[in-house]
Amino acid sequence: MKTRIEPYGDRQLETVVRLSLRAWTPVFDSLQQVIDADVYRSFYPDGWRVSQQKAVEEVCTAEDTNVWVAMSAEGDAIGIDTGLTVGFVAVKLNSESSMGEVYMVAVDPDFQGQGIVTALMEFALSWMKDAGMSVAMVETGGDPGHAPARHTYEKLGFGLLPIARYFKKL
């Protein structure tokens, strides 16, 4: 699918939140299966959708975050309205460490598997480099629900830093 990447605008917030929650449903279903139930409920006492909606809203409006959206660029030939928001990426820069972080990235499930997340990531990496960053970082989970994300990051040349993080409900 042909897409164009453009700066995020406030009018896109509802769409970005909605596509993010749809995209991350399998991820949170997977997390719920691999983490202790009490710990999971401690992380998401009101449900993961509530906390993730708030997180996306905060990221999209934060002064220290740069956000872009992927817009469909193909028209009626494939039955999609041009100008439809199909994904987003949020980037934070740390000038002291010269490291850029892909803080959030998501693509609407109806458009996954079409290279959109790769296009968003490549755009973000190029933007970080142009902004003077020398290292890029992205964080994801080791559970099965995050496997597609890990595959994409590895395909783009990211190297894994093995970290073990343990949780226990008190």
Side-chain angles (χ1 to χ4, degrees):
M1 165 185 231
K2 292 183 181 179
T3 58
R4 69 180 185 280
I5 298 172
E6 60 185 49
Y8 162 84
D10 291 339
R11 62 181 168 71
Q12 295 164 311
L13 181 60
E14 183 180 328
T15 301
V16 167
V17 167
R18 189 172 54 250
L19 75 84
S20 299
L21 295 179
R22 290 183 64 231
W24 294 332
T25 295
V27 170
F28 282 92
D29 289 348
S30 175
L31 284 176
Q32 194 169 13
Q33 298 302 313
V34 299
I35 196 167
D36 177 83
D38 290 330
V39 171
Y40 185 87
R41 281 190 295 277
S42 292
F43 284 155
Y44 311 109
D46 299 321
W48 71 266
R49 284 177 178 81
V50 172
S51 64
Q52 285 306 115
Q53 177 174 340
K54 182 179 178 186
V56 172
E57 290 170 348
E58 288 175 356
V59 162
C60 287
T61 58
E63 299 255 343
D64 67 339
T65 306
N66 297 276
V67 182
W68 295 272
V69 291
M71 308 294 292
S72 63
E74 294 179 351
D76 295 329
I78 61 168
I80 298 171
D81 294 330
T82 56
L84 184 68
T85 304
V86 297
F88 87 108
V89 64
V91 176
K92 293 184 178 193
L93 302 179
N94 184 326
S95 56
E96 289 181 25
S97 65
S98 294
M99 183 172 72
E101 177 183 3
V102 175
Y103 195 73
M104 281 185 184
V105 62
V107 171
D108 186 297
D110 292 341
F111 300 94
Q112 290 177 1
Q114 300 180 45
I116 297 168
V117 75
T118 298
L120 284 164
M121 290 294 295
E122 288 174 341
F123 178 90
L125 294 171
S126 177
W127 185 83
M128 283 184 228
K129 186 174 182 178
D130 290 347
M133 301 298 106
S134 59
V135 175
M137 191 265 295
V138 63
E139 187 174 315
T140 194
D143 61 287
H146 283 95
R150 291 191 307 274
H151 174 75
T152 298
Y153 304 148
E154 290 168 8
K155 182 176 72 171
L156 289 168
F158 282 87
L160 176 66
L161 171 62
I163 295 176
R165 188 178 285 173
Y166 293 87
F167 298 94
K168 176 180 174 44
K169 176 72 173 134
L170 301 177

